[in-house]
Amino acid sequence: MLDAKPPPSSLPLPIPLLFLVLLFSIAAVSLASDYVCQELSTSCGSVTDITYPFWLANDTAELVTPCGYPDFKVICRDNTPILSLATDNYTVIHIDHDRRIISLADADILGSEDTCPRVRHNLTFPPDSSLAYAPSDANLTFYFNCSDGLTEYISPCLGKKSFVLTDEMIENNSFVPHNCEAVIVAPVLQEYLKSYQYELANGFREVLHEGFELNWSASTNTTCSHCEQSGGWCGLDETSRSTSVFACFCSDGRRALYNCSDLHLLSIHYHLGLSPVIKRSVGVPEKLEETQ
């Protein structure tokens, strides 16, 4: 009788196959914890619907929600939502997602108890910005310490020769102040401007407190727009307190490197040590660089 041969020992998986199994195992673990950006909604103070394309961070700039346009970060500071535009801060009053309108007010003015606050910020947007003034807005122009000007428009509390003018006043009067120390154009709401048009010299504070409105459109950032076109939501993943990586959050729970058509999951790149690292202060670049 022949001795029974022991069963052959299990052959090791080929390295490429083992590599793939490892990658998909990592991905499977990450899928369960991924968020669907559309369902995330956070609040700060009285503003209760801070959701995509806006995203929330705390006062130390740590992300509270990961999804949103690169320049739409709202910081919750002392229970007040703040949006930075250029180098200036604006308090978020309301976000209307149906109309795609965000209501803002100059944080310096809103936080001041001065009955005669001095406006210090001009706010303009480049042609490729995702933000633009809404049709409900109007301009209020401040002329500070000028050499001349119509006496009837002087605002005594701002200075001996300082003026507050609407666009209509400027168009209807050929004599506009000249040689001024500063000229600042502040956006305001037309409806409130009409209420104070005969009291602007002393009532402009109330008009400024009501704020103004901005429309937002689809992201003009190339990387972000490609993500959205593939059905995803733009966002950031923090790799440390000082660096973040761009992530395209997909409806099935995946986090892709560029868009939801990609088969390259962000979690795979983390474990391989290949992360397209970006500095938080720079935002999302047009082209991400791989680092070992």
Side-chain angles (χ1 to χ4, degrees):
M1 183 176 179
L2 298 176
D3 295 334
K5 293 182 179 180
S9 59
S10 299
L11 295 175
L13 289 173
I15 291 178
L17 181 58
L18 183 61
F19 182 69
L20 288 175
V21 171
L22 175 62
L23 293 185
F24 283 105
S25 297
I26 293 169
V29 172
S30 69
L31 291 180
S33 61
D34 281 339
Y35 297 101
V36 177
C37 297
Q38 203 174 28
E39 298 175 356
L40 291 176
S41 181
T42 53
S43 62
C44 176
S46 60
V47 181
T48 58
D49 196 16
I50 303 174
T51 187
Y52 194 86
F54 298 93
W55 49 293
L56 191 66
N58 60 28
D59 202 13
T60 60
E62 292 178 304
L63 302 183
V64 176
T65 54
C67 313
Y69 290 177
D71 51 351
F72 280 21
K73 179 173 69 175
V74 176
I75 294 180
C76 192
R77 180 175 300 152
D78 296 328
N79 217 30
T80 301
I82 300 294
L83 179 69
S84 292
L85 299 175
T87 58
D88 305 313
N89 292 331
Y90 293 85
T91 299
V92 179
I93 299 173
H94 179 67
I95 300 176
D96 187 333
H97 288 274
D98 292 332
R99 296 167 58 217
R100 287 195 167 206
I101 283 180
I102 182 169
S103 301
L104 304 170
D106 188 321
D108 291 342
I109 300 295
L110 208 58
S112 172
E113 297 181 359
D114 192 344
T115 57
C116 185
R118 174 157 180 163
V119 179
R120 303 181 186 278
H121 311 307
N122 280 310
L123 179 59
T124 58
F125 300 99
D128 60 348
S129 174
S130 296
L131 292 170
Y133 286 116
S136 55
D137 293 325
N139 291 327
L140 198 57
T141 304
F142 292 79
Y143 298 84
F144 295 102
N145 300 326
C146 306
S147 61
D148 55 22
L150 294 177
T151 307
E152 60 190 286
Y153 296 137
I154 285 179
S155 181
C157 73
L158 291 175
K160 186 176 180 181
K161 286 258 182 167
S162 295
F163 306 84
V164 184
L165 303 178
T166 65
D167 284 346
E168 186 178 2
M169 291 176 181
I170 295 172
E171 291 170 2
N172 293 339
N173 292 277
S174 58
F175 194 71
V176 175
H178 295 93
N179 302 319
C180 303
E181 179 184 289
V183 178
I184 304 293
V185 181
V188 295
L189 292 173
Q190 291 183 38
E191 60 176 304
Y192 291 101
L193 189 58
K194 290 178 181 177
S195 301
Y196 286 90
Q197 60 181 331
Y198 300 111
E199 305 173 13
L200 273 181
N202 298 306
F204 64 86
R205 177 179 181 271
E206 283 71 21
V207 180
L208 293 171
H209 270 228
E210 295 298 334
F212 58 96
E213 296 181 336
L214 298 179
N215 288 118
W216 76 81
S217 58
S219 176
T220 55
N221 178 279
T222 302
T223 308
C224 184
S225 63
H226 287 170
C227 169
E228 289 191 318
Q229 289 167 12
S230 71
W233 295 271
C234 308
L236 294 175
D237 258 1
E238 289 187 316
T239 57
S240 71
R241 290 183 63 87
S242 60
T243 58
S244 300
V245 295
F246 175 80
C248 184
F249 293 80
C250 307
S251 59
D252 59 4
R254 290 185 303 129
R255 299 187 189 191
L257 276 173
Y258 302 109
N259 59 67
C260 293
S261 301
D262 269 340
L263 295 179
H264 303 294
L265 298 182
L266 193 60
S267 55
I268 292 175
H269 280 243
Y270 284 159
H271 289 272
L272 293 179
L274 299 172
S275 294
V277 177
I278 62 174
K279 296 295 182 183
R280 186 197 308 274
S281 59
V282 175
V284 179
E286 297 298 319
K287 184 177 180 181
L288 304 176
E289 297 181 356
E290 297 285 334
T291 59
Q292 295 286 347

